[in-house]
Amino acid sequence: MLQAIALGLPLTLLVTVLSLGLGTVLALPLVAGLRSGNRAVWLLTRGIVDLLRGIPPVVWLFILYYGVSLGTLRMSALQAAVLGLGLVSSAYLAEIFRGAIGSVHRGQWEASSALGFRGGTAWGRVIGPQAWRTAIPAYTAYGIGLLKDSSIASTIGVAEIVFFSNQYARQSGEGIMVFFIAAGVYILLSMPLGMLSRHLDTKLRKAVAR
Amino acid sequence: MTGLLPDVATILPTLLGGLQISLTLTFFSLLFGLPLGLLFSFGVTARNRAFRYVSVFFVEVGRGAPALVLLQLMYYGLPNVEITLSSLASACLALVWTTAAYTAELIRGGIQAVPAGEIEGSDALGMSVGDRLRFIEIPQGLRIALPSLMGFAVLLFQATSLAYTVAVPELMSQAYSTGSSTFKYLPAFIAAGMLYAAISVPATWLSVLAEKRLSRHL
């Protein structure tokens, strides 16, 4: 039983890490769009973000896995899972980043331009680090949520924890234990992440506390 | 790509029955989950040990484990202890658990945000603890928690799509069976996605609106 869960662990972690990475990268253009002064660009980005968040992840996974084909070429289950969860994450993360950037005080922008910083320097050295500090708790909370959402990948056949637990439950007929242990594994996995997040948060808070 | 839109348009109406089951599942999960969440929100800080341990167990497992695991636990696991429920009932039970666990934390946050002056005021008036909870803390705490509870309801509605894995004939499973019988997977899932979005996007706007209105005086 434990073996079944241990077999699934690598893919659970892989799907989580890859889709979080993909989501973070894809979130950046979305944030730019959400902050855009151009009405058309803003509306388009808003629509994309709302649609990505408004449709359940499992539907995105099914659309990508069963629905999308280029000629005879189809995505593997892992590719579809990472792309689907990455797309959904990008929308949620874009909202988190947007809020964090908005929380940086206006004076910081004014001070950057008063010091003659160009856009790149202002973002990289002044606004970015402060916004990132605000975003960390929400970002890690989303990461923990994504760890749990990675279980959805089992529905299209990615061999992660729930996939193996399900297989074991069907074969042995002992569903109750295997799913309780699976639940325990998810809780155990999210605990160090939560601790890391709190640690980073207090450390960064201390750095700016006066 | 030709014929995608007409296909979606033909499939869409056939999925409405599934949408109704998704909404029913959401409704019953909230109906039973919210009162339980309120109970657990007091349970996790209760002085009575048994009550506290039970609450902490349900809240931590309900939040820590994926909804998908809870669904399968109820469906494949409960028969081990001689309880066999229909797929709809077991899905409902799992989602009630999820709802209770998440809303317990949201409600607790709301109640803790009730200004301390309100509590002092009720003490000064000589209110009993029960009256204070009933007239001061719970109504104001729920009001503060309302936007986040609405946000959770949207996520719960989306989570009902996972009930297809335990054979509940809801929207997702109807889309899947349409897709596999006609091989029109893409139009079927696009139609399902549109129906999910048609409910959850406006509902999200509503929760943002509620948040703005309720924080108007802050």
Side-chain angles (χ1 to χ4, degrees), chain A residues 50-51 53-59 62-63 66-68 92 147-149 151-152 154-155 162 166 169-170 173-177 179-180 182-183 186-187 190, chain B residues 57 60-61 63-66 68-69 72-73 76-78 80-81 97 102 155 158 161-162 164-165 172 176 185-186 189-190 193-194 196-197 200-201 204-205:
Chain A
D50 279 354
L51 211 59
R53 296 198 304 168
I55 297 176
V58 67
V59 180
F62 275 47
I63 287 177
Y66 293 107
V68 177
Y92 282 97
L147 172 73
K148 293 183 272 166
D149 277 352
S151 61
I152 295 171
S154 70
T155 57
V162 176
N166 191 310
R170 283 171 198 235
E174 293 170 36
I176 200 153
M177 266 325 274
F179 285 116
F180 258 122
Y186 280 102
I187 295 171
S190 44
Chain B
F57 170 79
E60 288 304 317
V61 176
R63 282 162 45 93
L68 190 59
V69 170
Q72 310 221 344
L73 176 72
Y76 295 108
L78 282 185
N80 289 161
V81 287
W97 188 349
Y102 276 93
L155 288 180
Q158 295 196 1
S161 61
L162 300 174
Y164 112 90
T165 59
M172 196 58 207
Y176 187 77
Y185 282 108
L186 190 60
F189 292 135
I190 287 178
M194 282 167 72
Y196 278 113
S200 45
V201 172
T204 307
W205 290 340

Side-chain angles (χ1 to χ4, degrees), chain B residues 21-22 25 71 86-92 160 163-174:
Chain B
I21 296 179
S22 299
L25 196 55
L71 280 163
S86 73
S87 56
L88 190 65
S90 58
C92 208
T160 60
Y164 112 90
T165 59
V166 294
V168 176
E170 45 68 75
L171 180 48
M172 196 58 207
S173 101
Q174 306 243 342

Side-chain angles (χ1 to χ4, degrees), chain B residues 12-125:
Chain B
L12 200 77
T14 64
L15 297 178
L16 287 175
L19 179 64
Q20 202 182 350
I21 296 179
S22 299
L23 287 170
T24 314
L25 196 55
T26 313
F27 174 75
F28 280 106
S29 305
L30 288 172
L31 185 71
F32 296 112
L34 281 172
L36 263 179
L38 182 64
L39 190 72
F40 288 154
S41 74
F42 288 104
V44 289
T45 53
R47 218 169 289 158
N48 181 323
R49 275 211 190 146
F51 183 31
R52 190 173 69 226
Y53 288 156
V54 169
S55 306
V56 168
F57 170 79
F58 277 108
V59 170
E60 288 304 317
V61 176
R63 282 162 45 93
L68 190 59
V69 170
L70 296 180
L71 280 163
Q72 310 221 344
L73 176 72
M74 294 299 176
Y75 189 67
Y76 295 108
L78 282 185
N80 289 161
V81 287
E82 305 300 321
I83 305 171
T84 310
L85 297 171
S86 73
S87 56
L88 190 65
S90 58
C92 208
L93 210 57
L95 292 174
V96 164
W97 188 349
T98 310
T99 308
Y102 276 93
T103 56
E105 291 289 299
L106 298 177
I107 293 171
R108 199 165 62 95
I111 286 175
Q112 280 174 347
V114 173
E118 299 275 344
I119 315 289
E120 287 164 13
S122 60
D123 276 346
L125 288 171

